[in-house]
Amino acid sequence: MDDLQAAEGVFTPTRTILSSAPMFGIPEVLLDEAHGLWSIRQPGMEQASVFRCADIASCEVEEIEAEVTPSPEGLRGLGEVFLNPMGVSRGNAARRKNRIYGVNVVVSMKTPDVDPIRIKLWMRELKRGTRAYRNVMESAVGLKGDFDEMAGGGNG
């Protein structure tokens, strides 16, 4: 937001909240503690978007789950197994709800004209209960805690 940068002076990062990992689509999130501002720069974007910490309304961790479809029965189901075994396997996993397909941290702003900001931390399949799942969720909860702190603490 260029108007915000002009109103508040130059954005000077004092802390890195999230380091960019362009290969995985992870954005860079920086904090300017002196001015109460934070910025997010998506991979491939030249300019960062800057927001006031005081404008953070809430922050939540969002797991992306597969869409559950009914399993085909009878001969049709058998045909599906032969034609698309991986699809049948994914469908079974979705019905068991033991896998997720991504993790976002969603930051909602108090300003009504700003859409919620989705910070994509993981965009691949993960099995719940695995070490990788625990590590990703730990990172997401840690990032949520940073945003709760920036908003003034105690957002849940």
Side-chain angles (χ1 to χ4, degrees):
M1 297 175 130
D2 294 327
D3 297 340
L4 182 56
Q5 286 176 325
E8 296 290 334
V10 178
F11 179 85
T12 308
T14 56
R15 186 171 147 210
T16 300
I17 302 298
L18 183 63
S19 295
S20 179
M23 187 167 67
F24 298 108
I26 296 175
E28 176 182 57
V29 179
L30 302 172
L31 175 62
D32 179 351
E33 294 168 310
H35 296 106
L37 302 172
W38 67 280
S39 72
I40 181 168
R41 186 175 55 80
Q42 298 290 348
M45 300 296 289
E46 208 169 296
Q47 284 285 61
S49 298
V50 179
F51 303 94
R52 287 185 178 88
C53 294
D55 288 342
I56 298 172
S58 66
C59 182
E60 299 299 324
V61 175
E62 171 186 74
E63 291 183 356
I64 301 169
E65 294 184 345
E67 188 175 314
V68 178
T69 57
S71 62
E73 296 179 11
L75 289 177
R76 183 169 172 249
L78 186 59
E80 282 289 320
V81 170
F82 286 115
L83 292 174
N84 188 3
M86 187 60 119
V88 172
S89 178
R90 283 191 187 124
N92 289 338
R95 281 186 285 285
R96 286 190 301 269
K97 296 198 177 278
N98 68 346
R99 297 187 189 276
I100 62 167
Y101 294 88
V103 176
N104 296 329
V105 174
V106 182
V107 181
S108 298
M109 305 300 284
K110 292 176 185 173
T111 313
D113 60 332
V114 178
D115 291 332
I117 300 157
R118 281 189 161 64
I119 301 172
K120 298 176 182 181
L121 289 183
W122 190 262
M123 297 310 295
R124 295 185 186 157
E125 184 176 341
L126 265 179
K127 186 174 182 180
R128 286 190 169 108
T130 63
R131 185 177 194 174
Y133 173 82
R134 288 190 301 271
N135 288 343
V136 169
M137 292 307 293
E138 185 178 295
S139 296
V141 169
L143 183 59
K144 178 194 179 315
D146 288 337
F147 275 100
D148 287 345
E149 185 181 313
M150 287 190 300
N155 282 335

